[in-house]
């Protein structure tokens, strides 16, 4: 390959990586955690709060009746979440036609018959989930921005492979230890990028489709299909053709009866929720959504019923999906890692953390490649990039750990406030301090906040790490144990950062000024 071509790809890889890298660090770090979103929901629940109702169907029916009685406008389109993976108590939500905002309700407590309105996104788990695809930006804007970021991410992958291809077999497993720290970081960046390449290709592709898919359909809707595309893909999105309301009142069947009809149509499906459209109308539709294990990439299943008489309208199972639906649902499963049980979740967790390291190390390599090797004072651009990298990446890690503390000890509404307070404080600290000092201090902040998670859980739930292990509360034990491991890793990195600052090449943005080195040595 010509040298000019390689330089062009290197330029593309560098600048696309810099533009998207810090946003992708947040996406990957938060995404690695939300792989276990259902398990995290059980982490800080007390034993009593984690119990499902004795008759979950009756409790769900009572919630449905109460919501429709107090909010009759919800009959137009309502989703009922049944007790199970999404929580021990039922909940219901719908979207207001005027504002487009969702409203969610549940019973005030396990024994109450009074409704309590829930926030649109409740608790620290929902916040970290949103952080994964918005980076904390306003939801609509952040989602579309991440679609663009995923496209840039794909360009970075392609250009990175082109750059690395000439020495692929020679350098694939190379991890050259020694005094050349830049070479070590370069090797680590390359080997993680290449060995996890299929994972990254899937994420770039699925992330772009999930965030920009509907936008990309609009030109086809107007220019190609003359307004008929929505009708053509209706089955792929909803599982059955949609029908307009008849404007004639007709009672809908009880939930228990609808679940029985759904079980007859798809005996192995585990129902997780019910979507009602035009409840109480002659054309009312109830669609049961759940999972069905059929040794396929995705496990989504649905049974659409006529809510007034229980007649089966359609049955959607992994084996019978249309090619379009199988492709879309398969991409969703690949993106969220909800296939292959626990082993795949742990694999996605490890690959998510490795991906976060990939983007962090890419920024460090850019900084190192542009340092002045014959003078202590470094260019402004490298100092600014060092401050941004430390502030955004380590601020995200510290903020997520602080969010766990808030989830264990404070009301749900505090989770985003705590995250943004820690994140912007870290960003400001990185801007005000010398990069070597800021990196060392922020890593200790990450270590301290992450190590505090098991203790906050102990205070909030009344069960410590060893008690959770003895009683078989594996979700609590695993979260607390992993937090301690990550805290230890942050502490080791903090010590390594200080060692590099004191004893490494002094002509670097990561070196302490001579007077600071003397102070550190005297203190130690």
């Amino acid at each position: 390959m010509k040298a000019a071509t390689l330089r062009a790809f290197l330029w593309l890889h560098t600048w696309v990586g810099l533009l998207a890298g810090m946003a992708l660090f947040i996406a990957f770090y938060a995404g690695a955690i939300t792989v276990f979103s259902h398990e995290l929901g059980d982490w800080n629940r007390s034993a009593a709060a984690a119990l499902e109702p004795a008759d979950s169907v009756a409790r769900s029916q009572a919630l449905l009746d109460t919501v429709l009685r107090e909010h009759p406008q919800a009959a137009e389109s309502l989703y009922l979440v049944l007790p199970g993976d999404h929580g021990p108590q039922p909940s219901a939500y719908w979207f207001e036609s005027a504002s487009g905002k969702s409203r969610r309700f549940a019973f005030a407590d396990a024994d109450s018959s009074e409704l309590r309105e829930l926030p649109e996104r409740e608790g620290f788990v929902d916040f970290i989930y949103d952080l994964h695809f918005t980076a904390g930006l306003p939801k609509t804007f952040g989602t579309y921005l991440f679609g663009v970021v995923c496209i840039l991410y794909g360009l970075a992958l392609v250009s990175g492979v082109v750059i690395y291809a000439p020495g692929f077999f020679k350098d694939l497993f190379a991890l050259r230890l020694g005094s050349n720290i830049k070479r070590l970081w370069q090797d680590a960046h390359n080997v993680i990028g290449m060995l996890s390449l299929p994972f990254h290709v899937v994420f770039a592709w699925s992330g772009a489709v999930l965030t920009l898919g509907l936008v990309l359909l609009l030109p086809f809707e107007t220019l190609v299909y003359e307004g008929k595309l929505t009708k053509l893909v209706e089955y792929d999105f909803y599982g059955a053709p949609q029908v307009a309301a008849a404007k004639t009142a007709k009672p809908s069947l009880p939930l228990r009866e609808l679940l029985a009809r759904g079980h007859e149509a798809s005996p192995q499906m585990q129902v997780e929720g019910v979507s009602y459209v035009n409840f109480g109308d002659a054309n009312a539709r109830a669609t049961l959504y759940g999972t069905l294990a059929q040794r396929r990439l995705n496990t989504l299943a649905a049974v659409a019923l006529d809510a007034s008489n229980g007649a089966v309208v359609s049955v959607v199972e992994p084996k019978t999906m249309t090619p379009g639906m199988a492709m879309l649902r398969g991409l969703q499963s690949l993106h969220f890692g909800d296939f292959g049980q626990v082993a795949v979740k742990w694999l996605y967790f490890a690959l998510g953390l490795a991906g976060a390291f990939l983007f962090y190390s890419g920024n460090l390599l850019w900084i190192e490649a542009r340092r002045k090797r014959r003078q202590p004072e470094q260019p402004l651009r490298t100092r600014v990039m060092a401050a941004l990298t430390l502030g955004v990446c380590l601020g995200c890690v510290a903020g997520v750990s602080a969010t766990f503390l808030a989830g264990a000890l404070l009301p749900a509404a505090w989770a985003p406030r705590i995250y943004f307070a820690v994140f912007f404080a870290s960003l400001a600290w990185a801007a005000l301090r010398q990069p070597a000092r800021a990196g060392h201090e922020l890593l200790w902040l990450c270590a301290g906040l992450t190590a505090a998670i098991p203790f906050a859980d102990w205070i909030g739930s009344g069960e410590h790490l060893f008690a959770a292990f003895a009683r078989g509360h594996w979700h609590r034990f695993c979260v607390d144990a992993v937090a301690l491991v990550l805290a230890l890793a942050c502490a080791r990195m903090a010590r390594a950062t200080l060692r590099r600052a004191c004893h490494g090449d002094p002509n670097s943005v990561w070196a302490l000024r001579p007077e600071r080195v003397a102070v550190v040595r005297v203190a130690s």
Side-chain angles (χ1 to χ4, degrees):
M1 189 178 295
K2 293 180 180 179
T5 305
L6 274 177
R7 283 197 300 271
F9 276 99
L10 180 60
W11 180 90
L12 178 66
H13 183 75
T14 298
W15 285 104
V16 169
L18 288 176
L19 287 172
M22 285 180 276
L24 288 169
F25 180 94
I26 297 175
F28 269 74
Y29 189 78
I33 293 169
T34 54
V35 167
F36 294 102
S37 56
H38 294 320
E39 291 81 357
L40 287 173
D42 292 334
W43 169 67
N44 64 336
R45 287 194 187 106
S46 64
L51 292 176
E52 294 185 12
D55 189 342
S56 60
V57 176
R59 188 65 171 165
S60 301
Q61 181 71 62
L63 175 66
L64 176 65
D65 295 340
T66 306
V67 167
L68 292 174
R69 183 173 61 252
E70 297 186 13
H71 302 276
Q73 74 275 17
E76 183 180 346
S77 180
L78 173 76
Y79 193 87
L80 179 67
V81 182
L82 302 180
D85 286 343
H86 300 281
Q89 298 297 325
S91 63
Y93 67 88
W94 71 94
F95 290 89
E96 296 281 6
S97 55
S99 63
K101 293 183 178 180
S102 67
R103 299 190 68 184
R104 296 179 63 208
F105 284 88
F107 285 126
D109 55 56
D111 300 317
S112 174
S113 59
E114 295 183 3
L115 290 181
R116 174 174 67 97
E117 184 163 7
L118 306 173
E120 185 175 358
R121 304 293 289 168
E122 184 184 31
F124 79 102
V125 180
D126 283 345
F127 174 74
I128 297 175
Y129 181 85
D130 288 347
L131 193 67
H132 164 60
F133 63 88
T134 66
L137 298 169
K139 192 169 183 179
T140 302
F141 174 76
T143 301
Y144 290 135
L145 178 64
F146 258 87
V148 176
V149 166
C150 286
I151 295 173
L152 296 177
Y153 175 24
L155 287 174
L157 291 175
V158 171
S159 56
V161 170
V162 170
I163 294 166
Y164 192 68
F168 180 79
F169 291 106
K170 182 180 70 173
D171 294 337
L172 179 58
F173 294 104
L175 198 62
R176 285 160 281 202
L177 305 175
S179 59
N180 191 337
I181 302 299
K182 183 192 172 187
R183 171 54 62 185
L184 175 63
W185 278 85
Q186 183 74 63
D187 288 343
H189 182 84
N190 290 345
V191 73
I192 289 175
M194 293 304 295
L195 293 181
S196 58
L197 181 63
F199 173 79
H200 289 286
V201 170
V202 164
F203 261 78
W205 178 24
S206 61
V209 170
L210 295 176
T211 52
L212 298 177
L214 290 177
V215 176
L216 296 176
L217 284 178
L218 292 178
F220 293 92
E221 168 75 8
T222 56
L223 301 177
V224 179
Y225 289 91
E226 300 178 346
K228 300 175 183 177
L229 179 60
T230 304
K231 193 70 177 176
L232 290 173
V233 299
E234 199 172 52
Y235 181 85
D236 290 338
F237 283 122
Y238 301 108
Q242 300 297 289
V243 292
K247 306 297 183 183
T248 303
K250 188 175 183 181
S252 295
L253 292 176
L255 176 62
R256 196 180 299 276
E257 178 65 22
L258 292 172
L259 291 175
R261 299 291 180 91
H263 180 72
E264 292 175 3
S266 182
Q268 303 301 318
M269 183 176 75
Q270 302 294 318
V271 181
E272 296 179 350
V274 184
S275 173
Y276 289 96
V277 178
N278 300 319
F279 188 94
D281 185 84
N283 283 346
R285 181 70 53 80
T287 305
L288 315 181
Y289 290 101
T291 58
L292 179 62
Q294 286 191 343
R295 298 182 67 83
R296 292 292 192 275
L297 179 59
N298 86 87
T299 59
L300 178 71
V303 176
L305 303 168
D306 186 319
S308 62
N309 58 31
V312 176
V313 178
S314 69
V315 178
V316 176
E317 296 181 347
K319 286 183 178 179
T320 61
M321 286 182 175
T322 63
M325 183 184 288
M327 173 69 75
L328 179 61
R329 303 307 178 189
L331 274 178
Q332 288 177 330
S333 293
L334 284 170
H335 189 90
F336 296 111
D338 54 4
F339 64 97
Q341 308 298 330
V342 177
V344 170
K345 288 191 172 188
W346 281 110
L347 177 63
Y348 266 53
F349 177 75
L351 289 171
L353 294 182
F357 171 81
L358 189 70
F359 305 117
Y360 183 71
S361 62
N363 280 23
L364 297 187
L365 287 169
W366 183 90
I367 295 167
E368 186 66 16
R370 282 151 184 81
R371 72 180 175 94
K372 302 296 183 182
R373 289 171 169 75
R374 296 183 180 181
Q375 63 184 53
E377 190 65 27
Q378 297 299 311
L380 177 63
R381 60 177 180 172
T382 59
R383 286 184 279 124
V384 170
M385 182 56 70
L388 281 173
T389 300
L390 294 173
V392 171
C393 298
L394 299 184
C396 169
V397 174
V400 168
S401 295
T403 303
F404 271 80
L405 303 182
L409 302 174
L410 298 173
W414 279 92
R417 302 173 193 173
I418 295 294
Y419 172 84
F420 287 119
V422 173
F423 178 81
F424 285 113
S426 300
L427 197 57
W429 191 262
L432 295 173
R433 301 283 280 173
Q434 190 181 352
R437 179 65 69 188
H440 172 244
E441 292 162 347
L442 289 176
L443 280 167
W444 274 117
L445 175 66
C446 295
L449 290 173
T450 308
I453 290 174
F455 299 97
D457 180 32
W458 185 4
I459 296 170
S461 67
E463 185 176 62
H464 56 74
L465 174 72
F466 302 107
F469 178 81
R471 295 167 184 167
H473 296 168
W474 300 115
H475 294 166
R476 176 166 292 126
F477 171 77
C478 287
V479 171
D480 291 350
V482 169
L484 291 177
V485 172
L486 292 178
L488 179 61
C490 289
R492 292 289 300 273
M493 287 190 288
R495 292 175 63 87
T497 300
L498 183 60
R499 186 168 58 250
R500 165 68 179 84
C502 294
H503 305 294
D505 189 339
N507 298 330
S508 170
V509 74
W510 304 116
L512 286 174
R513 297 188 182 97
E515 65 273 13
R516 297 294 182 88
V517 175
V519 170
V520 170
R521 287 174 176 168
V522 169
S524 60

